[in-house]
Amino acid sequence: MIRTFQTHKIRPQQELTGKLWAFTPLQGERAGETLWVHTPSCWENYPGFGLYRGQGRYQTQFEGAGNLRIECKGVSHTAQVYLDGEEIAGHYNAYTAFSAVVKDVKAGTHTLAIVADNRFTPESALHVPNDYMSYGGVSRPVVLESVKDAFLEYVHVTPSYEKGGWRAHIRACVISLGAAPPALLRVRAAGQELLFGARALAEGENIFEGDMAFEGVTAWSPQTPALYTVTATLERAGEPFDDLIDRFGFRTVETRGKDILLNGAPLRIKGVCRHEDHPQYGCALPFSAMAYDLMILRDLGANSVRTSHYPNDECFLDLCDETGVLVWEENHARGLSLEQMRNPFFEEQAEQVTREMVLQHYNHPSIYIWGILNECASDSAYGKECYAKQFACIAALDRSRPRSFASCKFKTDLCFGLPEVVSYNIYPKWYHDMPAGEYLADLYDWVQTQTEGAGKPFLITEIGAGGLYGYRSPYATRWSEEYQAKVLREQLEAVLSFSDCAGVYIWQFCDIRISEEWWGGRPRTMNNKGIVDEYRRPKLCYDVVKEIFSKY
Ligand code: ADA
């Protein structure tokens, strides 16, 4: 499933996944063997491939002719794409989309092959052995489109509320495959139209910008997740030849003093951190599993999800837009040390995933904040330079949302002057023994008196404790469900009763698989801090979270 709504009515589009493809592992004992596998999927879920780390070739055939645009929504984690044996694209990072256009393809049957690679090589700065799993496979949909000499790449809508009325800034990007004859661009949104008169198109990107005003529209909010459609069409001589349909919502996000404001009203975040992970699907969750996760999240009384630690599947974001779940969307990085940030590939790879995240997910009204570099070296001068660059990269692409990062550098963090929101991951009574309330007050005081984060909104982006599903102990010993429930109660009460805090995210939604290299301190080679286990079975803490979320 590509999206939860149709994105083209004129441009022919077809999902190539959603059926069996031929899979061939390229290394290991079974190298060269061919299996028929469902797609999208991760090879860790094929019998015998649970621990395979290497390259795998996925192959399918399709009918097509003309200018073909092939979009991969996500290949984990490095991809090389071949059409009829010719390499047409390469991409690093599992969690963002990429595409290639091949011109003048002859009519007939064509072979598409994608070689996915999940190895931890020195050239991979972001996918490293970690406290989550870097799966292998064609993990998100692959889409085939037929385009003319020019086509729409994106149409970004930035809503604003001025003098009692909604307006929107429109920025559309048209890609031309060569110098192309004049084309007209028509943008329709929420019953209004903006027309850009015919203009010649230069090869590559052509940007169109303008403003629109609206009347009688409904604002998007968690209580009223009203969505509108924006339809952009390219036309010549009155004939539309390409289109792009997206959705957006009328809402503003800003920070004022200690508050994060949505449509002018302070937000109180009650959220969970969620990895895309499932024992049956790896990171390639089908629509039904994503929708089920959101049902659990809403049943818990949560109003937000943090896409820790990477950009999420667009279908999941579509569902968040539709159900009014606020999203902290995060670029890809977890716990990189100073040395890892000095990897010569780090800057380029981090900038790429950040750009792709913002450009691809720009219109989702549910995304209220961009996060970067979870728990990286924000306590060093070099780390600070990297944080500054990535925040600048986001600001250059989007000024309509605040930015933040989740720090674990306690009283040594140097970066709170950079973003609009200060965020901390804290684990009182799990990684140390200080009571949650005392710990939080001390940390908050330090931020206010010693850092450039003073006076900014303050979020707790992780609290949590491990609890092994089914391990019960009348003495509430560590790792028992009882201990986890007890700790979460204390942490949640402390954070939510702290009026200077804009909210909390629980680490984490469900138990997840981690890289084998990370087994120390992680029973079952899983991170067991889920409110539900990996099969989404509720632990004892489920009712505690529900009770406390409903109280605040
Ligand atoms: C960190 C990190 C998470 C997870 C967590 C834990 O705060 O951001 O990815 O590793 O700790 O379980 O310890």
Side-chain angles (χ1 to χ4, degrees), residues 182-210:
L184 168 161
L185 174 66
R186 192 185 299 277
V187 177
R188 292 197 187 93
Q192 301 297 316
E193 182 171 298
L194 176 65
L195 193 65
F196 297 90
R199 118 177 185 202
L201 300 171
E203 182 168 356
E205 286 194 0
N206 297 264
I207 301 294
F208 295 74
E209 292 197 80

PDB file of all heavy atoms in Angstrom, residues 182-210:
ATOM      1  N   PRO A 182       6.806  25.557 -22.814  1.00  0.00           N
ATOM      2  CA  PRO A 182       6.107  26.155 -21.689  1.00  0.00           C
ATOM      3  C   PRO A 182       4.974  25.270 -21.168  1.00  0.00           C
ATOM      4  O   PRO A 182       4.279  24.606 -21.936  1.00  0.00           O
ATOM      5  CB  PRO A 182       5.556  27.463 -22.256  1.00  0.00           C
ATOM      6  CG  PRO A 182       6.428  27.772 -23.413  1.00  0.00           C
ATOM      7  CD  PRO A 182       6.880  26.459 -23.969  1.00  0.00           C
ATOM      8  N   ALA A 183       4.810  25.282 -19.860  1.00  0.00           N
ATOM      9  CA  ALA A 183       3.711  24.555 -19.225  1.00  0.00           C
ATOM     10  C   ALA A 183       3.117  25.453 -18.160  1.00  0.00           C
ATOM     11  O   ALA A 183       3.796  26.307 -17.595  1.00  0.00           O
ATOM     12  CB  ALA A 183       4.220  23.259 -18.594  1.00  0.00           C
ATOM     13  N   LEU A 184       1.854  25.235 -17.926  1.00  0.00           N
ATOM     14  CA  LEU A 184       1.138  26.024 -16.928  1.00  0.00           C
ATOM     15  C   LEU A 184       0.934  25.151 -15.694  1.00  0.00           C
ATOM     16  O   LEU A 184       0.742  23.938 -15.815  1.00  0.00           O
ATOM     17  CB  LEU A 184      -0.157  26.409 -17.594  1.00  0.00           C
ATOM     18  CG  LEU A 184      -1.392  27.006 -16.980  1.00  0.00           C
ATOM     19  CD1 LEU A 184      -2.183  27.630 -18.115  1.00  0.00           C
ATOM     20  CD2 LEU A 184      -2.224  25.986 -16.259  1.00  0.00           C
ATOM     21  N   LEU A 185       1.011  25.764 -14.533  1.00  0.00           N
ATOM     22  CA  LEU A 185       0.804  24.988 -13.302  1.00  0.00           C
ATOM     23  C   LEU A 185      -0.433  25.518 -12.584  1.00  0.00           C
ATOM     24  O   LEU A 185      -0.551  26.713 -12.326  1.00  0.00           O
ATOM     25  CB  LEU A 185       2.027  25.109 -12.391  1.00  0.00           C
ATOM     26  CG  LEU A 185       1.892  24.466 -11.011  1.00  0.00           C
ATOM     27  CD1 LEU A 185       1.757  22.947 -11.100  1.00  0.00           C
ATOM     28  CD2 LEU A 185       3.100  24.824 -10.135  1.00  0.00           C
ATOM     29  N   ARG A 186      -1.346  24.596 -12.283  1.00  0.00           N
ATOM     30  CA  ARG A 186      -2.579  24.966 -11.574  1.00  0.00           C
ATOM     31  C   ARG A 186      -2.565  24.247 -10.220  1.00  0.00           C
ATOM     32  O   ARG A 186      -2.349  23.036 -10.153  1.00  0.00           O
ATOM     33  CB  ARG A 186      -3.782  24.470 -12.399  1.00  0.00           C
ATOM     34  CG  ARG A 186      -5.121  25.015 -11.974  1.00  0.00           C
ATOM     35  CD  ARG A 186      -6.242  24.350 -12.785  1.00  0.00           C
ATOM     36  NE  ARG A 186      -6.144  24.571 -14.216  1.00  0.00           N
ATOM     37  CZ  ARG A 186      -6.597  25.661 -14.844  1.00  0.00           C
ATOM     38  NH1 ARG A 186      -7.182  26.616 -14.174  1.00  0.00           N
ATOM     39  NH2 ARG A 186      -6.478  25.780 -16.164  1.00  0.00           N
ATOM     40  N   VAL A 187      -2.769  25.009  -9.146  1.00  0.00           N
ATOM     41  CA  VAL A 187      -2.796  24.411  -7.804  1.00  0.00           C
ATOM     42  C   VAL A 187      -4.170  24.663  -7.200  1.00  0.00           C
ATOM     43  O   VAL A 187      -4.610  25.812  -7.095  1.00  0.00           O
ATOM     44  CB  VAL A 187      -1.694  25.014  -6.905  1.00  0.00           C
ATOM     45  CG1 VAL A 187      -1.778  24.426  -5.490  1.00  0.00           C
ATOM     46  CG2 VAL A 187      -0.311  24.759  -7.490  1.00  0.00           C
ATOM     47  N   ARG A 188      -4.848  23.590  -6.856  1.00  0.00           N
ATOM     48  CA  ARG A 188      -6.164  23.724  -6.215  1.00  0.00           C
ATOM     49  C   ARG A 188      -6.041  23.197  -4.787  1.00  0.00           C
ATOM     50  O   ARG A 188      -5.532  22.103  -4.565  1.00  0.00           O
ATOM     51  CB  ARG A 188      -7.218  22.896  -6.942  1.00  0.00           C
ATOM     52  CG  ARG A 188      -7.543  23.390  -8.319  1.00  0.00           C
ATOM     53  CD  ARG A 188      -8.876  22.795  -8.793  1.00  0.00           C
ATOM     54  NE  ARG A 188      -9.099  23.149 -10.186  1.00  0.00           N
ATOM     55  CZ  ARG A 188      -8.748  22.391 -11.219  1.00  0.00           C
ATOM     56  NH1 ARG A 188      -8.161  21.226 -10.997  1.00  0.00           N
ATOM     57  NH2 ARG A 188      -8.982  22.777 -12.445  1.00  0.00           N
ATOM     58  N   ALA A 189      -6.524  24.001  -3.843  1.00  0.00           N
ATOM     59  CA  ALA A 189      -6.461  23.561  -2.440  1.00  0.00           C
ATOM     60  C   ALA A 189      -7.673  24.112  -1.713  1.00  0.00           C
ATOM     61  O   ALA A 189      -7.983  25.303  -1.844  1.00  0.00           O
ATOM     62  CB  ALA A 189      -5.186  24.074  -1.783  1.00  0.00           C
ATOM     63  N   ALA A 190      -8.339  23.267  -0.964  1.00  0.00           N
ATOM     64  CA  ALA A 190      -9.485  23.661  -0.130  1.00  0.00           C
ATOM     65  C   ALA A 190     -10.414  24.629  -0.859  1.00  0.00           C
ATOM     66  O   ALA A 190     -10.765  25.685  -0.347  1.00  0.00           O
ATOM     67  CB  ALA A 190      -8.972  24.277   1.171  1.00  0.00           C
ATOM     68  N   GLY A 191     -10.770  24.286  -2.075  1.00  0.00           N
ATOM     69  CA  GLY A 191     -11.760  25.070  -2.825  1.00  0.00           C
ATOM     70  C   GLY A 191     -11.203  26.312  -3.504  1.00  0.00           C
ATOM     71  O   GLY A 191     -11.937  27.038  -4.174  1.00  0.00           O
ATOM     72  N   GLN A 192      -9.911  26.603  -3.360  1.00  0.00           N
ATOM     73  CA  GLN A 192      -9.313  27.782  -3.994  1.00  0.00           C
ATOM     74  C   GLN A 192      -8.353  27.339  -5.089  1.00  0.00           C
ATOM     75  O   GLN A 192      -7.911  26.194  -5.100  1.00  0.00           O
ATOM     76  CB  GLN A 192      -8.552  28.616  -2.968  1.00  0.00           C
ATOM     77  CG  GLN A 192      -9.383  29.109  -1.808  1.00  0.00           C
ATOM     78  CD  GLN A 192     -10.487  30.041  -2.246  1.00  0.00           C
ATOM     79  OE1 GLN A 192     -10.265  30.932  -3.066  1.00  0.00           O
ATOM     80  NE2 GLN A 192     -11.695  29.808  -1.741  1.00  0.00           N
ATOM     81  N   GLU A 193      -8.045  28.293  -5.975  1.00  0.00           N
ATOM     82  CA  GLU A 193      -7.136  27.945  -7.072  1.00  0.00           C
ATOM     83  C   GLU A 193      -6.039  28.995  -7.218  1.00  0.00           C
ATOM     84  O   GLU A 193      -6.287  30.183  -7.064  1.00  0.00           O
ATOM     85  CB  GLU A 193      -7.929  27.832  -8.371  1.00  0.00           C
ATOM     86  CG  GLU A 193      -7.051  27.427  -9.525  1.00  0.00           C
ATOM     87  CD  GLU A 193      -7.839  27.084 -10.782  1.00  0.00           C
ATOM     88  OE1 GLU A 193      -8.635  26.138 -10.750  1.00  0.00           O
ATOM     89  OE2 GLU A 193      -7.645  27.808 -11.779  1.00  0.00           O
ATOM     90  N   LEU A 194      -4.854  28.525  -7.510  1.00  0.00           N
ATOM     91  CA  LEU A 194      -3.721  29.416  -7.776  1.00  0.00           C
ATOM     92  C   LEU A 194      -3.143  28.981  -9.119  1.00  0.00           C
ATOM     93  O   LEU A 194      -2.824  27.807  -9.316  1.00  0.00           O
ATOM     94  CB  LEU A 194      -2.673  29.235  -6.661  1.00  0.00           C
ATOM     95  CG  LEU A 194      -1.360  29.998  -6.777  1.00  0.00           C
ATOM     96  CD1 LEU A 194      -1.591  31.497  -6.683  1.00  0.00           C
ATOM     97  CD2 LEU A 194      -0.408  29.559  -5.651  1.00  0.00           C
ATOM     98  N   LEU A 195      -3.043  29.953 -10.044  1.00  0.00           N
ATOM     99  CA  LEU A 195      -2.603  29.600 -11.391  1.00  0.00           C
ATOM    100  C   LEU A 195      -1.256  30.250 -11.673  1.00  0.00           C
ATOM    101  O   LEU A 195      -1.093  31.453 -11.481  1.00  0.00           O
ATOM    102  CB  LEU A 195      -3.654  30.109 -12.380  1.00  0.00           C
ATOM    103  CG  LEU A 195      -3.553  29.601 -13.796  1.00  0.00           C
ATOM    104  CD1 LEU A 195      -3.802  28.102 -13.848  1.00  0.00           C
ATOM    105  CD2 LEU A 195      -4.590  30.333 -14.660  1.00  0.00           C
ATOM    106  N   PHE A 196      -0.295  29.458 -12.111  1.00  0.00           N
ATOM    107  CA  PHE A 196       0.990  30.005 -12.554  1.00  0.00           C
ATOM    108  C   PHE A 196       0.975  29.942 -14.073  1.00  0.00           C
ATOM    109  O   PHE A 196       0.893  28.846 -14.639  1.00  0.00           O
ATOM    110  CB  PHE A 196       2.153  29.163 -12.013  1.00  0.00           C
ATOM    111  CG  PHE A 196       2.256  29.145 -10.509  1.00  0.00           C
ATOM    112  CD1 PHE A 196       1.599  28.174  -9.763  1.00  0.00           C
ATOM    113  CD2 PHE A 196       3.006  30.103  -9.838  1.00  0.00           C
ATOM    114  CE1 PHE A 196       1.705  28.151  -8.380  1.00  0.00           C
ATOM    115  CE2 PHE A 196       3.111  30.084  -8.454  1.00  0.00           C
ATOM    116  CZ  PHE A 196       2.456  29.107  -7.720  1.00  0.00           C
ATOM    117  N   GLY A 197       1.026  31.116 -14.723  1.00  0.00           N
ATOM    118  CA  GLY A 197       0.926  31.163 -16.188  1.00  0.00           C
ATOM    119  C   GLY A 197       2.018  30.355 -16.865  1.00  0.00           C
ATOM    120  O   GLY A 197       3.038  30.040 -16.251  1.00  0.00           O
ATOM    121  N   ALA A 198       1.816  30.049 -18.134  1.00  0.00           N
ATOM    122  CA  ALA A 198       2.749  29.188 -18.865  1.00  0.00           C
ATOM    123  C   ALA A 198       4.179  29.721 -18.780  1.00  0.00           C
ATOM    124  O   ALA A 198       4.419  30.915 -18.938  1.00  0.00           O
ATOM    125  CB  ALA A 198       2.310  29.098 -20.314  1.00  0.00           C
ATOM    126  N   ARG A 199       5.089  28.814 -18.497  1.00  0.00           N
ATOM    127  CA  ARG A 199       6.501  29.228 -18.415  1.00  0.00           C
ATOM    128  C   ARG A 199       7.373  28.083 -18.948  1.00  0.00           C
ATOM    129  O   ARG A 199       7.053  26.906 -18.754  1.00  0.00           O
ATOM    130  CB  ARG A 199       6.785  29.635 -16.972  1.00  0.00           C
ATOM    131  CG  ARG A 199       7.792  28.876 -16.230  1.00  0.00           C
ATOM    132  CD  ARG A 199       7.983  29.494 -14.835  1.00  0.00           C
ATOM    133  NE  ARG A 199       9.074  28.798 -14.181  1.00  0.00           N
ATOM    134  CZ  ARG A 199       9.250  28.751 -12.876  1.00  0.00           C
ATOM    135  NH1 ARG A 199       8.430  29.368 -12.065  1.00  0.00           N
ATOM    136  NH2 ARG A 199      10.274  28.087 -12.369  1.00  0.00           N
ATOM    137  N   ALA A 200       8.435  28.473 -19.636  1.00  0.00           N
ATOM    138  CA  ALA A 200       9.337  27.452 -20.188  1.00  0.00           C
ATOM    139  C   ALA A 200      10.045  26.761 -19.024  1.00  0.00           C
ATOM    140  O   ALA A 200      10.312  27.384 -17.998  1.00  0.00           O
ATOM    141  CB  ALA A 200      10.355  28.106 -21.108  1.00  0.00           C
ATOM    142  N   LEU A 201      10.318  25.480 -19.184  1.00  0.00           N
ATOM    143  CA  LEU A 201      10.927  24.728 -18.084  1.00  0.00           C
ATOM    144  C   LEU A 201      12.378  24.401 -18.415  1.00  0.00           C
ATOM    145  O   LEU A 201      12.681  23.914 -19.510  1.00  0.00           O
ATOM    146  CB  LEU A 201      10.149  23.436 -17.844  1.00  0.00           C
ATOM    147  CG  LEU A 201       8.665  23.628 -17.472  1.00  0.00           C
ATOM    148  CD1 LEU A 201       7.937  22.288 -17.485  1.00  0.00           C
ATOM    149  CD2 LEU A 201       8.526  24.296 -16.104  1.00  0.00           C
ATOM    150  N   ALA A 202      13.250  24.696 -17.456  1.00  0.00           N
ATOM    151  CA  ALA A 202      14.664  24.374 -17.646  1.00  0.00           C
ATOM    152  C   ALA A 202      14.896  22.936 -17.202  1.00  0.00           C
ATOM    153  O   ALA A 202      14.144  22.400 -16.389  1.00  0.00           O
ATOM    154  CB  ALA A 202      15.503  25.317 -16.806  1.00  0.00           C
ATOM    155  N   GLU A 203      15.936  22.318 -17.706  1.00  0.00           N
ATOM    156  CA  GLU A 203      16.234  20.949 -17.291  1.00  0.00           C
ATOM    157  C   GLU A 203      16.504  20.910 -15.780  1.00  0.00           C
ATOM    158  O   GLU A 203      17.151  21.792 -15.229  1.00  0.00           O
ATOM    159  CB  GLU A 203      17.478  20.450 -18.038  1.00  0.00           C
ATOM    160  CG  GLU A 203      17.791  19.014 -17.672  1.00  0.00           C
ATOM    161  CD  GLU A 203      18.821  18.389 -18.600  1.00  0.00           C
ATOM    162  OE1 GLU A 203      19.236  19.034 -19.575  1.00  0.00           O
ATOM    163  OE2 GLU A 203      19.196  17.235 -18.323  1.00  0.00           O
ATOM    164  N   GLY A 204      15.959  19.923 -15.107  1.00  0.00           N
ATOM    165  CA  GLY A 204      16.151  19.806 -13.654  1.00  0.00           C
ATOM    166  C   GLY A 204      14.979  20.407 -12.902  1.00  0.00           C
ATOM    167  O   GLY A 204      13.847  20.358 -13.362  1.00  0.00           O
ATOM    168  N   GLU A 205      15.285  21.015 -11.741  1.00  0.00           N
ATOM    169  CA  GLU A 205      14.221  21.521 -10.860  1.00  0.00           C
ATOM    170  C   GLU A 205      13.731  22.899 -11.282  1.00  0.00           C
ATOM    171  O   GLU A 205      14.518  23.789 -11.559  1.00  0.00           O
ATOM    172  CB  GLU A 205      14.772  21.666  -9.434  1.00  0.00           C
ATOM    173  CG  GLU A 205      14.947  20.357  -8.734  1.00  0.00           C
ATOM    174  CD  GLU A 205      15.162  20.545  -7.226  1.00  0.00           C
ATOM    175  OE1 GLU A 205      15.171  21.684  -6.738  1.00  0.00           O
ATOM    176  OE2 GLU A 205      15.324  19.507  -6.562  1.00  0.00           O
ATOM    177  N   ASN A 206      12.418  23.090 -11.297  1.00  0.00           N
ATOM    178  CA  ASN A 206      11.805  24.396 -11.540  1.00  0.00           C
ATOM    179  C   ASN A 206      10.871  24.666 -10.359  1.00  0.00           C
ATOM    180  O   ASN A 206       9.971  23.874 -10.089  1.00  0.00           O
ATOM    181  CB  ASN A 206      10.983  24.378 -12.827  1.00  0.00           C
ATOM    182  CG  ASN A 206      11.840  24.110 -14.052  1.00  0.00           C
ATOM    183  OD1 ASN A 206      12.254  25.026 -14.732  1.00  0.00           O
ATOM    184  ND2 ASN A 206      12.133  22.838 -14.318  1.00  0.00           N
ATOM    185  N   ILE A 207      11.116  25.769  -9.659  1.00  0.00           N
ATOM    186  CA  ILE A 207      10.335  26.059  -8.445  1.00  0.00           C
ATOM    187  C   ILE A 207       9.272  27.116  -8.740  1.00  0.00           C
ATOM    188  O   ILE A 207       9.545  28.130  -9.386  1.00  0.00           O
ATOM    189  CB  ILE A 207      11.270  26.553  -7.314  1.00  0.00           C
ATOM    190  CG1 ILE A 207      12.330  25.483  -6.985  1.00  0.00           C
ATOM    191  CG2 ILE A 207      10.480  26.941  -6.070  1.00  0.00           C
ATOM    192  CD1 ILE A 207      11.807  24.193  -6.377  1.00  0.00           C
ATOM    193  N   PHE A 208       8.069  26.853  -8.263  1.00  0.00           N
ATOM    194  CA  PHE A 208       6.948  27.803  -8.396  1.00  0.00           C
ATOM    195  C   PHE A 208       6.499  28.163  -6.982  1.00  0.00           C
ATOM    196  O   PHE A 208       6.231  27.269  -6.185  1.00  0.00           O
ATOM    197  CB  PHE A 208       5.762  27.150  -9.119  1.00  0.00           C
ATOM    198  CG  PHE A 208       6.023  26.781 -10.549  1.00  0.00           C
ATOM    199  CD1 PHE A 208       6.826  25.690 -10.867  1.00  0.00           C
ATOM    200  CD2 PHE A 208       5.457  27.511 -11.586  1.00  0.00           C
ATOM    201  CE1 PHE A 208       7.051  25.330 -12.184  1.00  0.00           C
ATOM    202  CE2 PHE A 208       5.676  27.164 -12.914  1.00  0.00           C
ATOM    203  CZ  PHE A 208       6.483  26.074 -13.217  1.00  0.00           C
ATOM    204  N   GLU A 209       6.383  29.460  -6.693  1.00  0.00           N
ATOM    205  CA  GLU A 209       5.944  29.843  -5.342  1.00  0.00           C
ATOM    206  C   GLU A 209       4.843  30.888  -5.416  1.00  0.00           C
ATOM    207  O   GLU A 209       4.887  31.803  -6.246  1.00  0.00           O
ATOM    208  CB  GLU A 209       7.112  30.406  -4.538  1.00  0.00           C
ATOM    209  CG  GLU A 209       8.138  29.341  -4.223  1.00  0.00           C
ATOM    210  CD  GLU A 209       9.081  29.732  -3.100  1.00  0.00           C
ATOM    211  OE1 GLU A 209       8.702  29.615  -1.934  1.00  0.00           O
ATOM    212  OE2 GLU A 209      10.204  30.131  -3.438  1.00  0.00           O
ATOM    213  N   GLY A 210       3.864  30.777  -4.527  1.00  0.00           N
ATOM    214  CA  GLY A 210       2.777  31.741  -4.486  1.00  0.00           C
ATOM    215  C   GLY A 210       1.993  31.587  -3.192  1.00  0.00           C
ATOM    216  O   GLY A 210       2.273  30.710  -2.380  1.00  0.00           O
TER     217      GLY A 210
END
